[in-house]
Amino acid sequence: MTAQKLDGRATAAAIKEDLKNRVATLRERGRTPGLATVLVGNDPASQSYVAGKHRDCAEVGINSIQKQLPADATQDQVLAVVEELNQDPNCTGYIVQLPLPAHIDTQAVLEAIDPSKDADGLHPMNLGALVASASAELNSPLPCTPKGCVDLLKHYGIDLAGKHVVVIGRGVTIGRPAGLVLTRKDVNATVTLAHTGTTNLDELLGQADVIIAAAGSPHMVTAEKVKDGVIVLDVGVTRAVGEDGKANITGDIDPAVAEKASWMAPNPGGVGPMTRVELVSNVVEAAERAVANAG
């Protein structure tokens, strides 16, 4: 057995085609969505990720706004930019790129974002709405990476209903909200949230129908730990600079797992492109809600 590829780049491209049409409709109604990013410092990975988001904006026809602050920016300076975007009518949604420098209170910054402009779906009010609703339609954005996982699997006709999904990682971007997204009735999976401190992790991996690995621990999921036919999504990222001076990305899934898995989302090229396109999708949906509410 060799795993079939869950191609995030191809899936994201298909979603972008749909978004282009929706943006064109919004433009006809006098509303052009705008995505803003706030980047503090010059972390290369964050710079690359933000640049990719703005390329996505150009591809689907929405405006992009870039706000960059130096690494030594104060908490007040960051909050001032957040408030500026809250008030900017040209900004439909925005994200503050994480991680922020250690001297910045990340939670305070995230809580200052206008929930209606929360493109990442990580504002406490939006996460609270997700907690409170297992089946009703949500009028708030879903967290991008868990939603990207679901949409990637749907694109390939994979139904998660009744499947046991083991999520490794407890970060706010995927680990913690993944269970909330995956257990909604429209997905209907059973989720076990594990992490690097889980004592029976190998046992859980052997039981899993689907593994979403997002711990940032290189090749921690190996072939002997998983069952035949498992579906694996490699989300965790570890960057190391090689002897050639180039940054190399290592995921959480050992490549040998492909010999036992039925489907595999690689890293890079799997969930990463999906996370980015879901961000743009959230911004377009926010604009559509604003138009609908305006009558």
Side-chain angles (χ1 to χ4, degrees):
M1 179 186 296
T2 301
Q4 298 181 76
K5 182 181 180 181
L6 294 165
D7 191 334
R9 293 191 177 100
T11 306
I15 293 173
K16 286 176 184 176
E17 287 303 312
D18 174 64
L19 290 174
K20 285 180 185 178
N21 295 329
R22 290 161 60 186
V23 169
T25 299
L26 285 166
R27 284 180 178 273
E28 291 172 1
R29 301 187 65 177
R31 178 83 180 211
T32 301
L35 169 67
T37 58
V38 180
L39 178 61
V40 184
N42 53 7
D43 175 72
S46 292
Q47 288 178 324
S48 174
Y49 198 55
V50 165
K53 291 171 182 176
H54 289 287
R55 286 195 298 271
D56 292 337
C57 289
E59 288 181 30
V60 302
I62 72 176
N63 296 329
S64 63
I65 304 163
Q66 300 186 51
K67 301 289 185 180
Q68 183 155 4
L69 295 167
D72 61 356
T74 66
Q75 176 98 1
D76 286 345
Q77 287 173 324
V78 176
L79 289 173
V81 171
V82 167
E83 182 57 25
E84 178 186 344
L85 293 173
N86 285 344
Q87 301 300 324
D88 186 351
N90 295 315
C91 172
T92 311
Y94 69 97
I95 62 106
V96 176
Q97 182 65 33
L98 303 179
L100 290 168
H103 67 279
I104 301 293
D105 184 341
T106 297
Q107 193 60 33
V109 171
L110 293 179
E111 290 179 3
I113 294 171
D114 179 344
S116 68
K117 293 189 175 187
D118 169 29
D120 264 336
L122 298 177
H123 189 281
M125 285 186 63
N126 293 329
L127 289 175
L130 181 57
V131 169
S133 175
S135 56
E137 183 177 347
L138 287 171
N139 291 315
S140 55
L142 287 174
C144 295
T145 305
K147 186 171 185 291
C149 291
V150 171
D151 286 348
L152 178 59
L153 293 168
K154 281 183 179 178
H155 183 78
Y156 286 91
I158 299 170
D159 186 359
L160 288 175
K163 287 187 169 60
H164 180 198
V165 182
V166 173
V167 180
I168 313 171
R170 47 190 160 187
V172 69
T173 57
I174 178 167
R176 300 185 74 79
L180 299 173
V181 174
L182 295 169
T183 55
R184 281 181 57 79
K185 288 186 178 179
D186 60 348
V187 180
N188 227 26
T190 297
V191 178
T192 299
L193 177 59
H195 45 79
T196 52
T198 301
T199 57
N200 65 331
L201 181 58
D202 288 358
E203 176 186 352
L204 294 171
L205 291 174
Q207 297 170 357
D209 301 311
V210 181
I211 297 169
I212 300 176
S217 181
H219 296 172
M220 69 178 297
V221 178
T222 55
E224 67 272 11
K225 297 177 182 178
V226 305
K227 67 182 182 182
D228 289 339
V230 68
I231 299 166
V232 290
L233 291 85
D234 194 355
V235 184
V237 173
T238 303
R239 289 180 173 84
V241 178
E243 294 181 0
D244 58 0
K246 295 182 179 179
N248 299 309
I249 292 176
T250 303
D252 289 0
I253 307 290
D254 190 297
V257 171
E259 299 304 316
K260 294 183 74 174
S262 57
W263 293 89
M264 186 169 181
N267 193 345
V271 176
M274 294 300 299
T275 298
R276 280 176 28 200
V277 80
E278 298 293 0
L279 181 86
V280 178
S281 179
N282 279 346
V283 172
V284 173
E285 287 176 9
E288 290 171 336
R289 283 194 294 271
V291 167
N293 292 337

